[in-house]
Amino acid sequence: MSQQYKKSGYISIVGKTNVGKSTLLNEILGQKISITSRKPQTTRHRLLGIKTVKESQMIFIDTPGFHKDHKRALNKYMNKVASSAMKGVDVLVYVIESLAWTEEDKELMDQIPDGNKTSILVINKIDKINQKEDLLPFIETISKLNKFADIIPLSALKKQNLTALVDSILLKLPEGDHAYPTDQVADVSERFIASEIIREKCITRVGDELPYRISVSIDKFKEEDKITHIDATLFVEKKSQKGMLIGSSGTKLKSIGTAARLELEEFLATKVMLNLWVKVKQGWTDDEAMLTTMGYDLGKSS
Ligand code: GDP
Ligand code: MG
């Protein structure tokens, strides 16, 4: 039977850092809006992703993670999760990593109210398990806790069993008018997503010291004749960090630029001409470096 009434609701995705929340969100939306990385704490912003399926609109909230070595940060995060992410949302998706269940996961789960009909447990990364039966006793133990309406093992990365999660969410959405137009996927602009894509490439290609000290500003974002022209400045705090970003003879920056451009082209579905500048935040005027990667020069030609 087809649905007669419109449904709309907020879904919050919570869980420890690195369990795959951003990957899951991106896969559900079919588009990358939240940056992912092997390094923890890359999600700085709380993002909304929107997916409308027939009469139902799902509005996703991707909550920032916490650093697992920080007890205080953990407590703070849990309080925040308990006070905001879990309250005032219609569906809660709690993500854990299969076979990597820890004390922290348990503490976090304690915040979830018992007997909740709108909480879903996602056991992610099942592609990492050789013997799928190994999961069954675990699922049984968790289901006895009476915390979750559904327990869904899946692989966000390998796109396994994602529809089970979407179906489960859809069933739990309340009736209500849609808050966003049907074709909208995020409440953040393409410009912001572009800056996150570029920032991600910097993080994944440069050493550990850099990630938390870099910010990206988009200075130009303009589509002309099926080419999106993007100028971005990477701001770092120290000259040494600038050196790390640029690499010897600019090789590092070039690989950042190329990787970012390729992903931007996929995201925007246009060719992209990307100009990257690196600047040290203080007194940078005589201290810049520039790189241009021209999307339309590559790929199709030759
Ligand atoms: P978040 O911190 O919870 O948002 O986690 P991310 O989405 O950034 O993912 C952390 C890491 O786990 C990334 O390297 C992902 O590629 C990886 N990952 C996410 N989902 C899966 C999965 O289903 N299987 C495997 N093997 N890796 C995954
Ligand atoms: Mg994330």
Side-chain angles (χ1 to χ4, degrees):
M1 235 170 57
S2 69
Q3 267 175 258
Q4 308 237 334
Y5 302 101
K6 283 195 168 176
K7 286 175 148 198
S8 175
Y10 288 84
I11 302 118
S12 154
I13 300 179
V14 301
K16 224 171 53 178
T17 294
N18 243 15
V19 293
K21 299 180 295 296
S22 300
T23 308
L24 183 62
L25 180 66
N26 293 334
E27 287 304 333
I28 291 173
L29 297 172
Q31 199 169 73
K32 184 160 195 163
I33 68 147
S34 184
I35 78 168
T36 60
S37 156
R38 269 190 200 85
K39 298 203 177 84
Q41 280 196 319
T42 50
T43 307
R44 289 198 306 195
H45 301 266
R46 199 162 177 245
L47 294 176
L48 289 180
I50 302 146
K51 189 178 177 79
T52 307
V53 181
K54 293 187 186 143
E55 297 302 304
S56 301
Q57 183 159 82
M58 298 175 274
I59 305 161
F60 289 93
I61 303 162
D62 183 27
T63 56
F66 59 89
H67 201 286
K68 66 174 190 232
D69 301 330
H70 265 268
K71 191 71 186 164
R72 261 173 63 205
L74 167 63
N75 291 336
K76 228 170 118 189
Y77 173 75
M78 291 199 307
N79 290 340
K80 204 177 148 213
V81 164
S83 63
S84 66
M86 292 189 188
K87 286 177 195 149
V89 297
D90 302 294
V91 181
L92 178 85
V93 177
Y94 177 45
V95 184
I96 60 171
E97 184 176 332
S98 62
L99 307 181
W101 172 253
T102 65
E103 200 52 45
E104 288 157 9
D105 290 296
K106 267 184 226 144
E107 286 181 37
L108 198 51
M109 203 173 73
D110 286 341
Q111 306 286 319
I112 298 169
D114 288 346
N116 198 322
K117 297 223 164 28
T118 55
S119 293
I120 301 165
L121 178 71
V122 162
I123 304 175
N124 191 27
K125 308 197 186 182
I126 54 161
D127 58 289
K128 283 176 145 182
I129 310 174
N130 295 326
Q131 302 291 110
K132 298 283 186 270
E133 307 87 77
D134 290 354
L135 213 51
L136 291 176
F138 179 67
I139 292 177
E140 209 161 293
T141 309
I142 301 254
S143 53
K144 284 199 186 112
L145 297 174
N146 191 31
K147 294 251 180 206
F148 302 98
D150 295 312
I151 298 175
I152 302 173
L154 56 79
S155 168
L157 197 67
K158 306 276 188 225
K159 306 179 185 33
Q160 289 166 358
N161 215 24
L162 288 173
T163 47
L165 174 60
V166 172
D167 290 345
S168 168
I169 293 169
L170 288 175
L171 277 172
K172 292 168 184 59
L173 289 184
E175 277 173 23
D177 279 336
H178 296 179
Y180 296 91
T182 302
D183 57 357
Q184 192 164 341
V185 294
D187 80 332
V188 288
S189 64
E190 287 183 334
R191 196 180 255 263
F192 169 75
I193 294 167
S195 75
E196 287 288 274
I197 288 173
I198 295 165
R199 200 168 66 85
E200 180 195 41
K201 299 308 169 205
C202 296
I203 293 171
T204 50
R205 277 169 176 73
V206 182
D208 282 321
E209 295 109 285
L210 187 65
Y212 312 117
R213 303 201 179 90
I214 186 164
S215 61
V216 176
S217 91
I218 303 290
D219 311 314
K220 177 181 170 185
F221 192 101
K222 200 170 175 209
E223 197 187 324
E224 260 168 16
D225 303 326
K226 301 232 185 314
I227 298 168
T228 309
H229 298 262
I230 302 173
D231 289 359
T233 307
L234 315 175
F235 285 103
V236 290
E237 281 171 359
K238 293 183 197 146
K239 210 163 176 170
S240 61
Q241 294 163 349
K242 196 185 89 170
M244 287 165 66
L245 261 186
I246 294 167
S248 67
S249 331
T251 46
K252 189 68 90 181
L253 189 60
K254 196 166 161 55
S255 92
I256 291 169
T258 303
R261 178 178 53 72
L262 290 173
E263 191 161 326
L264 287 164
E265 288 184 340
E266 197 183 320
F267 169 63
L268 297 165
T270 67
K271 288 279 170 195
V272 167
M273 180 173 164
L274 178 65
N275 291 306
L276 292 182
W277 280 264
V278 183
K279 287 176 182 173
V280 180
K281 254 177 210 159
Q282 273 136 18
W284 49 260
T285 35
D286 58 343
D287 191 23
E288 353 188 311
M290 202 267 267
L291 166 100
T292 305
T293 64
M294 306 211 286
Y296 52 86
D297 272 347
L298 301 162
K300 295 271 149 52
S301 59
S302 89

